[in-house]
Each structure stands twice: as C-alpha cells, then as structure tokens.
Amino acid sequence: MSMLELKYIVPGDDFTRAGEASGDVKHKLKKIGYNPDAIRRVSIAMYEGEINMVIHAGGGEAEVNIDPDRVEILLIDHGPGIADVEKAMQAGFSTAPDNVRSLGFGAGMGLPNMKKYSDEMYIETEVGKGSTVRMIVYAQR
Amino acid sequence: MEEEVITACGSDMMSDVLAYVKDQSLLLTGLVNPQIVRTAEMMDMHCIVLVRGKTPDDTILKLAEQKDITVLSSPYRMFTACGLLYSNGLRGGCDVS
Ligand SMILES: Nc1ncnc2c1ncn2[C@@H]1O[C@H](COP(=O)(O)OP(=O)(O)OP(=O)(O)O)[C@@H](O)[C@H]1O
Ligand SMILES: [Mg+2]
C-alpha cells in the first residue's frame, strides 16, 4: 500500500480534458508538500504520457502511487500498441497526423522527455492490444 | 498578476515547450487551445501571451483562472512580440546546444 493511491480514467475523445489527471496529481503533490523538483518531473512526464494516450491510443487509465521517497506512474491503454519501441524512443520520431500537429503536439519529443524526467521508465506494449508505460520518479534525485 | 516575469519562451509547438523550457515563466504562442494552459501549468509558467491578436475562449479562460495563470493577448506577430519583450529586458533562458 502506498501513502496515496490515485486512479483516473483518461477519456480518448476529449482533447480539452487531456492533462486533467496530471494536473490533479500536481495539485495533490503540492498540497502534501512534496519536493518541488520531483513534482515538476512527475508533472511533465505524466502529462506527456497522458497526451500520448489521448492522441495515439484513444485514451486509457492512469494510476499514481505516491510514497515519501518516490512516485510511481502507470499509464495503461488499449490502443494500437507501439510496433518499434526503440524507434519511438528516438527524439523526432512521430507518427502523429497533421491534425495533431496543428494542436501543438507531434514533434516526437514526448517519450524521450518522459525518459529524461523520470528516474525509471518501462514500456510494455503489444501491437493491436495496447501499451502500459510505467515511470518512477524519486523524491530526491 | 503579481509575479515578476524575467524569462520567456515563444512557440506554437507545446511538444517543444515541454522538451526545451527550463524555468521561463512566460509563454508566447499563436496556438489557441486548452493545452496551452495545461502546458504552462506543468512547466510552472505564470503567464501566456497570445500573439497575432488571438483571443482565448471561455474554456481557456476558465482553466487559466483555476490554475492561476494570466492570459494576455497581443496584436503583434510572434517575432515582433518576442522582440519587444526582449528589448525591454526579458531573456530567453534557453540553452544553446
Ligand atoms: N500510448 C501510445 N500508443 C500507441 N503509440 C504510441 C503511444 N505513445 C507513443 N506512441 C508512438 O510513439 C511515437 C513517439 O511518441 P512521442 O511521445 O515521443 O512523440 P509524439 O507523441 O508523436 O509527439 P510529441 O510527444 O512531441 O507531441 C508516437 O508518434 C506514436 O507513434
Ligand atoms: Mg507524445
């Protein structure tokens, strides 16, 4: 059991709401007085992942487990999966269509950014089934 | 707005803002959708300036108010708006690498 366990549904059909879960996590971490640097890293990493679920996977679920020494973020979707994770991790690689780019995303920077801001990141994915991204951010880096 | 703004960043791509911004507190953008507020929120930016005379809709304003982020609108294009702020002392704060 973690000190604080949070669960969210991330709707895939409402771009306006993408980031709501990450915003709520940020708010809660601030309220409990978590390390500001860790809050920032959690916020950016989770927001990138949440946006990915919305634009690439039709939404999903987010689970966040907060402990004094670390925050675990789980992003679970049942979208198309990622065929080549190594390629997807490269800066600049994106399959986002033009309409996503006109919304300000799709530069292929999200996954590398998530890797940069988290301390541990694991991707489990199966084409046609979905993806689960697990990230851990330590309170002290 | 009571926060003092020292550094700024201009971009229409939120992907780039999320990847490259360090501690700039002002975002200039020509993009108008709620994700500009979310991005500013995650990056701890306090103020958004919409360039090219764009105006925020109610969804954006409501969200910004809730997140305590100021939204301004400027008639200038991105280059000029950035130039004006720069010539008045604001800096980029971005890494050159
Ligand atoms: N949850 C996901 N489901 C399916 N594919 C994904 C998922 N997340 C990422 N991808 C794939 O990996 C690619 C790279 O993702 P990444 O987040 O780095 O860039 P992006 O989302 O395309 O653009 P940006 O994050 O800069 O807005 C995506 O274009 C997409 O093909
Ligand atoms: Mg992305």
Side-chain angles (χ1 to χ4, degrees):
Chain A
M1 272 293 278
S2 287
M3 190 172 86
L4 189 57
E5 299 184 353
L6 308 165
K7 279 191 168 62
Y8 305 89
I9 302 280
V10 178
D13 55 356
D14 192 352
F15 182 70
T16 304
R17 288 184 57 194
E20 230 174 60
S22 307
D24 189 68
V25 169
K26 178 163 194 160
H27 179 74
K28 291 208 161 78
L29 285 171
K30 265 191 185 165
K31 232 163 84 180
I32 58 173
Y34 219 76
N35 175 10
D37 178 62
I39 295 181
R40 186 179 164 94
R41 293 192 289 120
V42 166
S43 306
I44 300 172
M46 181 172 170
Y47 178 59
E48 292 273 22
E50 191 178 349
I51 292 279
N52 276 357
M53 283 204 293
V54 176
I55 62 181
H56 303 299
E61 295 127 57
E63 284 180 32
V64 179
N65 301 311
I66 301 169
D67 281 299
D69 61 326
R70 65 174 213 169
V71 178
E72 177 189 41
I73 306 155
L74 278 160
L75 301 163
I76 306 141
D77 71 58
H78 306 285
I82 305 170
D84 188 339
V85 174
E86 210 177 303
K87 209 167 168 186
M89 286 299 303
Q90 286 171 12
F93 176 84
S94 176
T95 59
D98 282 348
N99 73 310
V100 164
R101 228 151 274 150
S102 68
L103 292 169
F105 293 91
M109 297 305 298
L111 287 172
N113 216 20
M114 288 156 71
K115 173 111 194 143
K116 177 175 147 198
Y117 283 106
S118 61
D119 293 299
E120 292 175 37
M121 176 165 138
Y122 311 94
I123 301 177
E124 265 174 53
T125 181
E126 200 180 327
V127 173
K129 288 250 169 80
S131 311
T132 297
V133 179
R134 179 167 171 255
M135 291 182 286
I136 295 174
V137 172
Y138 292 111
Q140 305 291 339
R141 200 164 217 182
Chain B
M1 187 169 64
E2 284 171 31
E3 297 275 352
E4 189 185 10
V5 170
I6 298 165
T7 51
C9 151
S11 180
D12 287 354
M13 281 299 276
M14 295 305 107
S15 299
D16 289 340
V17 175
L18 289 161
Y20 297 115
V21 167
K22 278 247 168 84
D23 54 6
Q24 289 87 322
S25 43
L26 186 143
L27 170 66
L28 293 105
T29 187
L31 187 72
V32 189
N33 72 48
Q35 297 311 329
I36 60 176
V37 182
R38 304 254 187 226
T39 299
E41 176 194 9
M42 303 310 159
M43 307 306 291
D44 300 309
M45 301 174 109
H46 310 292
C47 181
I48 301 170
V49 175
L50 298 178
V51 297
R52 303 193 285 279
K54 306 218 166 162
T55 47
D57 61 21
D58 283 349
T59 315
I60 293 176
L61 286 180
K62 254 204 200 130
L63 192 62
E65 194 182 340
Q66 191 191 323
K67 307 289 180 190
D68 207 16
I69 292 167
T70 308
V71 183
L72 305 171
S73 178
S74 161
Y76 297 106
R77 289 187 185 180
M78 179 70 91
F79 183 79
T80 313
C82 290
L84 281 170
L85 291 174
Y86 193 94
S87 64
N88 280 284
L90 255 66
R91 286 300 174 259
C94 279
D95 280 351
V96 181
S97 58

